[in-house]
Amino acid sequence: MKNLFNVQTKNNVKEAVKDSANIEYLATGKEKVVLVGRDLSSKVSLPRYSSLFFIFSLFEEDLEEPLNFDVNISVLALESLAKALIALKPDDGNKKTKSNKSPISKEDIKFGKSAEHDFSFRLFKNISAKNFFRLINDISVQSKYKSSDEIASKYLECDTSLTKLNNFYNRFDHIYDNCANSNYSMLYLFDDIESNLSPYQNVMVQIKGNNAIVSNNFAYIITSFENEVARNMYSESIKNDYYSMLEKIDKNIQKLKEKIQSENKIYSIEALYEEI
């Protein structure tokens, strides 16, 4: 199985970062997708992960244009994907066929001709290439979940979850690059929408509404809030500042909604708070 993610890139741009933190940038020659993570080149050839990098390269072929963000690849994300692949890989009753397998093609995986790669088929069937890489990046940069088993079960092993994630990323396509550039995971927002348990119900109503600019802006507000709180979990003063800002935003929703509509731009949580 040929893995196409075997060309290191961006060395000249970020050499100091790579040297100090073992960060590597991997891509194909086309560089539609650039993967970034610790010691990636050593993981590409590991039997546990090699199939995943092959899947990444197949998804890259389906991209119409290069991604506007580097895709973070954490060990947690790789383990989650590996466990989902194993969980969805059906038992092979005929052990003899394993030693005589023909080379695996993109068509075999995408169209379900290879039952052994059912996980890959489910991915291609339920989530677009761009949204698949968004999901990998979001799993890698989030800090809410520490268990790869939980992530695999919650997001990767179910057709319904993958379809919902695909629709979610399509709906908030306009703000994804903003979130990625700030290393914000949108999975926090996805969970808030799915659970409907957020205490900021006025904001959530606007996110679920039909006004695109208002929905996107408040989606960005919740995403930045959840990520900043998670990043500063040991700093009570910073967390309290964000809680206070969002509470006041939630209470002044109508005024802020009108401001967003009139300005037609995406506000940060701090900038929107200043408009109260």
Side-chain angles (χ1 to χ4, degrees), residues 76 139 142-148 150-151 154-155 187-188 191:
L76 181 63
I139 290 173
Q142 63 82 37
S143 59
K144 180 179 180 180
Y145 301 104
K146 307 296 184 184
S147 167
S148 55
E150 183 178 11
I151 292 172
K154 185 176 180 66
Y155 299 117
L187 287 180
Y188 300 108
D191 288 348

Side-chain angles (χ1 to χ4, degrees), residues 32-227:
K32 285 186 180 180
V33 179
V34 177
L35 307 180
V36 56
R38 294 183 183 278
D39 301 314
L40 279 183
S41 59
S42 65
K43 295 179 173 64
V44 169
S45 59
L46 291 177
R48 184 170 181 81
Y49 300 141
S50 59
S51 294
L52 298 177
F53 284 94
F54 178 66
I55 292 170
F56 297 164
S57 66
L58 295 182
F59 265 101
E60 187 199 33
E61 292 180 22
D62 277 6
L63 289 172
E64 296 180 0
E65 57 186 12
L67 297 177
N68 291 327
F69 60 95
D70 293 344
V71 181
N72 286 275
I73 301 285
S74 67
V75 173
L76 181 63
L78 286 174
E79 272 299 298
S80 301
L81 287 160
K83 288 180 178 178
L85 188 152
I86 293 169
L88 292 176
K89 180 177 173 181
D91 293 333
D92 189 347
N94 187 358
K95 302 295 183 182
K96 294 181 181 179
T97 62
K98 288 190 173 183
S99 59
N100 298 312
K101 290 187 294 184
S102 59
I104 300 166
S105 71
K106 178 179 180 180
E107 286 69 28
D108 288 339
I109 291 178
K110 289 191 67 174
F111 300 106
K113 296 179 182 178
S114 174
E116 182 181 1
H117 288 75
D118 185 55
F119 172 58
S120 310
F121 172 58
R122 289 188 183 208
L123 287 177
F124 277 106
K125 183 176 68 172
N126 292 297
I127 191 167
S128 71
K130 179 183 287 188
N131 292 339
F132 175 60
F133 287 115
R134 286 169 167 171
L135 176 58
I136 294 172
N137 185 68
D138 280 354
I139 290 173
S140 297
V141 301
Q142 63 82 37
S143 59
K144 180 179 180 180
Y145 301 104
K146 307 296 184 184
S147 167
S148 55
D149 291 298
E150 183 178 11
I151 292 172
S153 174
K154 185 176 180 66
Y155 299 117
L156 299 169
E157 293 177 7
C158 176
D159 287 2
T160 301
S161 295
L162 288 168
T163 301
K164 285 183 176 180
L165 283 160
N166 193 54
N167 293 335
F168 168 79
Y169 286 124
N170 286 339
R171 178 178 175 89
F172 298 109
D173 175 81
H174 183 68
I175 63 168
Y176 188 83
D177 289 349
N178 300 60
C179 296
N181 290 335
S182 297
N183 278 332
Y184 288 163
S185 172
M186 291 194 73
L187 287 180
Y188 300 108
L189 174 63
F190 177 78
D191 288 348
D192 285 345
I193 292 173
E194 288 295 301
S195 69
N196 199 32
L197 295 176
S198 172
Y200 309 105
Q201 284 300 303
N202 291 329
V203 172
M204 297 306 297
V205 166
Q206 298 305 319
I207 290 173
K208 297 173 184 178
N210 295 323
N211 187 307
I213 183 62
V214 171
S215 176
N216 277 303
N217 207 136
F218 283 114
Y220 184 70
I221 293 300
I222 287 291
T223 298
S224 57
F225 165 77
E226 296 281 16
N227 280 269

